[in-house]
Amino acid sequence: QVQLVESGGGLVQSGGSLKLSCAASGSIFSIAVMGWYRRALGKQRELVALITRDGGTHYVANLKGRFTISRDNAKNTVYLQMNSLKPEDTAVYYCNADPPAIGWGQGTQVTVSS
């Protein structure tokens, strides 16, 4: 069973950048769509971005242009480059398949200070 480990979060000032990584313990090549999700304190988990096996991408409307999702099937890793971060991006970020069929990892905390 594939397990997911997210990393790369941290504390950054508004306008800064972070690159998140999601390492899978097994092959993700067979997973057609992978995604990044986030959950802010007191809110439900929400979709951030999706990427297909072949590299097609989809972003939540208000994040397009600031966030870039990518995947390296050979390394079983999915990435999320986040630029121009805002305080409202503060959340725990998770990766999973779409729909989320893998057990959730621990996530990685992103905190954006104003």
Side-chain angles (χ1 to χ4, degrees), residues 33-39 44-51 58-63 67 69 80 93-100 104:
V33 183
M34 291 291 296
W36 280 97
Y37 304 78
R38 68 184 182 185
R39 181 164 59 192
Q44 290 190 334
R45 187 155 28 209
E46 63 178 2
L47 175 68
V48 172
L50 300 173
I51 186 166
H58 167 79
Y59 299 91
V60 172
N62 62 344
L63 298 177
F67 289 13
I69 188 172
L80 185 68
Y93 284 70
Y94 305 84
C95 67
N96 210 314
D98 176 64
W104 293 99

Side-chain angles (χ1 to χ4, degrees), residues 18-87:
L18 285 172
K19 186 174 184 178
L20 308 183
S21 298
C22 170
S25 60
S27 174
I28 62 170
F29 183 76
S30 63
I31 301 174
V33 183
M34 291 291 296
W36 280 97
Y37 304 78
R38 68 184 182 185
R39 181 164 59 192
L41 191 64
K43 296 186 178 181
Q44 290 190 334
R45 187 155 28 209
E46 63 178 2
L47 175 68
V48 172
L50 300 173
I51 186 166
T52 68
R53 182 188 297 119
D54 298 328
T57 58
H58 167 79
Y59 299 91
V60 172
N62 62 344
L63 298 177
K64 190 174 183 179
R66 296 196 297 122
F67 289 13
T68 303
I69 188 172
S70 60
R71 67 191 280 177
D72 187 331
N73 292 326
K75 294 184 178 180
N76 298 317
T77 302
V78 183
Y79 304 97
L80 185 68
Q81 176 68 48
M82 306 186 296
N83 299 326
S84 302
L85 283 162
K86 303 176 181 181

